[in-house]
Amino acid sequence: MRRLIAPVAALLLLTASCAPARSGTLGPAPIAPTTRTPPAATAASRTPSPAASPGRPTPTPPAAPASTAAPGPGGTVTVQLWFTRAGRLVPTRRTLPATPATSRLALTELAAGPTLAETAAGMTSLVPPGVQVTRIADRVATLVPPAGFDGGGASAARLRRAQVVWTLTQFPTVRRVAFAATDSAPADRDDYADLLPPIVVTGPAVGDRVGSPITVTGTANVFEATVSVRVLDGAGREIGTAFTLATCGSGCRGDYRVAVRYRRAAPGPGTIEVYEVSAQDGSRINSVAVPVVLAASG
């Protein structure tokens, strides 16, 4: 009888580790890029807000999340922003002059909206100017939203709040967000986890300059946890592929991290496409396309 206890216990632990749960992995806080050329934070660069490989790979460890938007070289700070695309949350980054008021900086950037390149990739922002943090205590940020903040219907209002919550909770001092003058309890990322698409790409970001191998990171809830990546040149030709396993999948969200190599004679525009292979017909589904600038690679 004792011989059966250890195997049964191990099986129960393995089953529990991949059970869907609201408190599962929801993605890392921002990590400062090493090859990014940040989009200019100017009015001119913005728009108004309004077949898998055979076999199975060895799972790769997830990226270690940064605990804060730490100052970078030259007195800069990199923050993660959560915009929207097709009714879902989608992350991007900004590298800007450092300031102690990073929460105010992040809200300002949310209201400023996506860059032209991000707009072309389908991103938008529903957050208007004027959202202010009045205090942060016990890891709860209390906001004063401007008049009409919850306008535009229930779906738009919820998505707008999700942008704010997911953006502010990247900071270690904030785990929940309270919207003043409302009866709702403070919200955290779990409350809006259903607004994430099946595949989230946290790196590279739109407009990044990248070289081979490209490290692609994010979270995914896909069939058998298998995440596939391909690199396309400016003409849409496939010049590199890779795949990996997320730390959980088929009903639960896990982290993924994979390096993909490509060959290109000259630098130029390209696209990183992250996708799931359909279990029904082998087609690419739940694709996320990230336009980047590719360095030459022999």
Side-chain angles (χ1 to χ4, degrees):
M1 196 64 174
R2 290 181 177 176
R3 296 177 183 175
L4 294 175
I5 293 175
V8 171
L11 179 59
L12 289 174
L13 287 173
L14 178 60
T15 302
S17 68
C18 276
R22 288 181 80 244
S23 59
T25 295
L26 296 178
I31 299 173
T34 56
T35 58
R36 177 159 171 80
T37 299
T42 64
S45 67
R46 303 193 186 276
T47 55
S49 297
S53 303
R56 292 179 63 81
T58 301
T60 51
S67 60
T68 181
T76 62
V77 63
T78 297
V79 296
Q80 189 179 66
L81 306 177
W82 287 84
F83 289 142
T84 73
R85 179 167 56 203
R88 298 294 186 99
L89 293 169
V90 57
T92 190
R93 293 190 298 251
R94 292 286 184 272
T95 299
L96 299 163
T99 171
T102 50
S103 60
R104 181 185 302 171
L105 175 68
L107 290 174
T108 299
E109 288 299 308
L110 275 184
T115 64
L116 294 177
E118 290 165 346
T119 300
M123 295 184 187
T124 188
S125 180
L126 303 178
V127 178
V131 182
Q132 298 179 19
V133 176
T134 58
R135 73 184 194 124
I136 298 176
D138 298 324
R139 305 182 83 183
V140 176
T142 300
L143 304 186
V144 176
F149 181 81
D150 284 328
S155 296
R158 185 166 184 262
L159 192 55
R160 185 179 299 114
R161 288 187 174 220
Q163 282 189 252
V164 173
V165 169
W166 272 75
T167 296
L168 289 184
T169 52
Q170 71 185 280
F171 306 116
T173 55
V174 179
R175 281 298 169 264
R176 293 181 297 157
V177 176
F179 294 86
T182 68
D183 296 329
S184 58
D188 60 18
R189 288 191 169 195
D190 285 345
D191 292 301
Y192 301 103
D194 60 300
L195 293 176
L196 294 176
I199 296 175
V200 173
V201 180
T202 56
V206 171
D208 276 0
R209 296 180 181 273
V210 297
S212 182
I214 306 168
T215 299
V216 183
T217 60
T219 69
N221 181 352
V222 293
F223 180 68
E224 293 188 340
T226 304
V227 179
S228 299
V229 182
R230 63 178 188 155
V231 182
L232 308 176
D233 65 12
R237 294 183 293 259
E238 185 178 284
I239 57 176
T241 63
F243 69 114
T244 190
L245 296 181
T247 54
C248 200
S250 294
C252 57
R253 182 169 293 274
D255 298 316
Y256 68 85
R257 181 183 181 92
V258 60
V260 54
R261 297 183 178 277
Y262 66 87
R263 297 175 65 92
R264 182 184 174 91
T271 301
I272 311 300
E273 183 180 3
V274 187
Y275 60 94
E276 174 186 2
V277 175
S278 169
Q280 281 71 41
D281 58 14
S283 62
R284 291 185 294 274
I285 60 174
N286 296 319
S287 297
V288 178
V290 182
V292 295
V293 178
L294 300 171
S297 177

